[in-house]
Amino acid sequence: MMADLPWEMLAMAWAAGLCIPLGGVIAQLERSHETHVKRSWLAGITALGGGILLAAVALVLVPRAMESLSVLPLLGLFLLGALVFMQLDRWLARSGDARGQLLAMLMDFIPEAIALGALASASPAAAMLMALFIAVQNLPEGFNAYRELEGAGLTARQGLGAFLLLSLLGPLAAFSGHLWLADAPQLLGGLMAFAAGGILYLIFQDIAPQARVVHHWSPPLGATLGFMIGMLGERLVG
């Protein structure tokens, strides 16, 4: 299996992961004066990330899970993902932590990178397009997650350093998917169903409330554009 490992796919998975710290760098450099317009645009960017995550659930994770799982395992794992992340979210809330966007980003990034690795041998073109899709969605998610962590008190060095380490999860997840899940569609589908349930919970619990701005069009437009990006990525991969 190692001899057949497409190393260019690992490079693509890492490049997609590097969009997480890149989003953090953009958030760090953006230091304009706080205004209502700026708050509206930041809410729009948050909604953009939420729209992309929703597209990943609706167009990638759930359809692929449905292809390989029967009804009961599909629904059970989907609900389990939501319950697990509800408990994790409650624990973070009790501890005064704020990491909803970060959790949602990782819940999206890791299973998609695993799927990328699983697809690498069977369909290199589809895997490469999926890596591009992951990169596009990681950029606004990295931006939003950095702002969220910055608001919780992390320094720029801590935040960007952590995001750089998180980017390594891309090739690690792709390698795991290629090694263990390329010939195990049911396990891969189960992972995607679990991740989809967790992401959907986090979208409505943590991300959507942050995107609300009274009497402004940027949040719903950002969510719509995010879902459009997901539609484009799914069509390209499909």
Side-chain angles (χ1 to χ4, degrees):
M1 182 69 71
M2 284 289 292
D4 298 329
L5 185 64
W7 296 101
E8 66 275 9
M9 290 299 102
L10 297 184
M12 288 293 293
W14 190 24
L18 285 174
C19 286
I20 297 173
L22 179 58
V25 169
I26 295 172
Q28 172 64 25
L29 294 176
E30 202 291 302
R31 294 298 176 192
S32 59
H33 183 65
E34 189 74 18
T35 64
H36 177 70
V37 173
K38 178 181 175 180
R39 288 194 298 272
S40 299
W41 279 104
L42 291 179
I45 293 173
T46 300
L48 176 70
I52 294 174
L53 285 168
L54 185 59
V57 170
L59 303 175
V60 179
L61 298 177
V62 169
R64 290 183 182 274
M66 292 179 70
E67 288 176 0
S68 55
L69 297 176
S70 58
V71 173
L72 289 180
L74 174 70
L75 298 181
L77 288 167
F78 186 85
L79 179 60
L80 180 63
L83 292 174
V84 167
F85 275 78
M86 179 187 73
Q87 291 301 322
L88 181 57
D89 189 64
R90 292 178 64 186
W91 176 78
L92 291 173
R94 285 196 300 268
S95 65
D97 213 338
R99 300 181 185 177
Q101 183 75 51
L102 177 63
L103 285 173
M105 176 177 66
L106 293 178
M107 281 288 290
D108 183 32
F109 176 40
I110 293 174
E112 286 190 345
I114 291 174
L116 186 156
L119 284 171
S121 295
S123 179
M128 188 168 294
L129 287 170
M130 179 169 282
L132 179 61
F133 179 34
I134 297 170
V136 170
Q137 67 194 38
N138 275 347
L139 190 61
E141 290 168 11
F143 181 97
N144 293 327
Y146 182 86
R147 285 296 175 95
E148 184 179 61
L149 294 177
E150 188 180 45
L154 252 68
T155 66
R157 185 173 183 178
Q158 290 172 329
L160 294 177
F163 278 17
L164 188 60
L165 289 176
L166 288 177
S167 71
L168 296 174
L169 292 175
L172 288 175
F175 175 76
S176 300
H178 183 81
L179 192 62
W180 292 305
L181 297 181
D183 299 318
Q186 290 186 325
L187 287 176
L188 183 60
L191 174 66
M192 289 186 165
F194 178 86
I199 291 171
L200 196 61
Y201 172 85
L202 290 171
I203 288 173
F204 285 97
Q205 174 64 16
D206 292 314
I207 297 174
Q210 294 182 44
R212 177 171 170 77
V213 179
V214 178
H215 303 310
H216 205 277
W217 47 265
S218 59
L221 180 60
T224 303
L225 291 175
F227 199 90
M228 285 176 59
I229 291 171
M231 291 169 62
L232 176 61
E234 194 276 338
R235 179 53 58 91
L236 290 173
V237 171

